[in-house]
Each structure stands twice: as structure tokens, then as C-alpha cells.
Amino acid sequence: MMLKEKCAMTDKEWEERQKTRQLEMEAVSQALAVLSSDDAHDLFTRTFNPSLLQLASSTAYSDRRAAASQVLADAAKKAHNPHLATLAYQVKLDAFTRVKKAIDDMIAQLLKEKDDEIKHKDFCTDEFHQNQLQTEKKDREEQD
């Protein structure tokens, strides 16, 4: 009977963790959607302070990024396109790259935990079944 109680408790905990994982994944997806939305980009464009930009950098990668940003900014000025201007600042700052990577890592970790929990639940179910079979076998042997 102890095994049945333990498995029942494990099943209950597993269900709770699955619900929690689902809620966490929904929250992470919503956060990613908010960070990637046009409203977030518009807010960034409206509140951006160019005086806070670092104007000089020593790495070639940053120089190429700055050059690409300048080309986009010039095109945005010519076309009077705020979305292109936002893209220019994103290229220069790339502000949410780390946040997006952290979110992607968190999703991967949640999926790994989910797989581990499924394996554990399957193990528990298999052990319970084996125990039940052994118990039935012993009962039959006793009756004979």
C-alpha cells in the first residue's frame, strides 16, 4: 500500500508541476511577445535618448554594427520612416538580445524538466505495475 500512496502523491505533484510549467511557458511567451511587439518598439523610439549612446568603440564588430546602424538611420531620415529609425537603433544597441536569449534558455530548461518529469512518472508507473504483478504472483503461489 505504501507504493500506491507514494505513486499517487507523485502523480499529484507531477500534475501540479505540469500546470506550473505550462503557466511559466505561457508567461515567458507573453513576455517575448511584449518585448517583440510594435508597441514596445514605438515606446523605445519615443523614449530613446541619443545622448546616451556610446559613440566610439574599439572592436571591429561594433564598428560594423555602427556603420550598419548609420546606413539605416540615414535611410530612415530620407524616407521619414520611424520603423526604419527604430531598426537602426536596434542594430546599434541590440538591447533585448540577452533578454531573448535568457527567455529561450528558460524555455529550453522548462522543456528539459518536463521531459525529466515524464520519465520519472513513467518509471513510477512501471514500478507500480511490476510490484502489482509480483504481488498477484505471490498471492497465487500462496493459494496453491
Side-chain angles (χ1 to χ4, degrees):
M1 292 301 170
M2 180 93 162
L3 181 62
K4 286 184 181 182
E5 293 170 0
K6 185 175 179 181
C7 284
M9 187 174 64
T10 302
D11 286 343
K12 183 180 175 187
E13 290 172 355
W14 183 79
E15 290 296 329
E16 290 174 8
R17 286 192 304 267
Q18 287 296 4
K19 288 177 186 175
T20 303
R21 295 285 174 282
Q22 187 63 33
L23 291 173
E24 288 173 345
M25 290 178 70
E26 288 174 14
V28 167
S29 296
Q30 288 174 356
L32 190 57
V34 167
L35 292 175
S36 301
S37 72
D38 288 337
D39 291 338
H41 296 294
D42 292 343
L43 178 64
F44 177 73
T45 301
R46 284 194 315 266
T47 60
F48 179 71
N49 186 354
S51 65
L52 298 176
L53 282 178
Q54 180 179 353
L55 299 176
S57 179
S58 61
T59 65
Y61 180 73
S62 294
D63 292 341
R64 284 182 283 164
R65 180 183 291 273
S69 175
Q70 188 60 45
V71 168
L72 288 170
D74 292 342
K77 285 179 187 175
K78 254 186 193 176
H80 302 289
N81 186 337
H83 293 293
L84 198 54
T86 302
L87 181 61
Y89 287 123
Q90 283 177 336
V91 167
K92 193 164 196 167
L93 296 178
D94 203 14
F96 293 116
T97 301
R98 290 185 188 146
V99 174
K100 288 179 183 178
K101 181 174 180 351
I103 289 171
D104 289 341
D105 291 346
M106 187 183 299
I107 289 172
Q109 179 65 27
L110 289 172
L111 291 173
K112 183 184 179 299
E113 288 177 13
K114 178 183 171 185
D115 290 342
D116 291 345
E117 288 174 1
I118 289 171
K119 287 177 186 175
H120 181 71
K121 182 181 184 295
D122 290 343
F123 172 77
C124 185
T125 304
D126 289 342
E127 287 296 311
F128 178 72
H129 181 68
Q130 290 297 325
N131 188 355
Q132 192 173 12
L133 290 175
Q134 290 174 358
T135 304
E136 290 172 3
K137 183 179 176 183
K138 294 283 185 185
D139 289 343
R140 277 183 275 172
E141 287 176 0
E142 287 177 7
Q143 288 176 356
D144 290 342

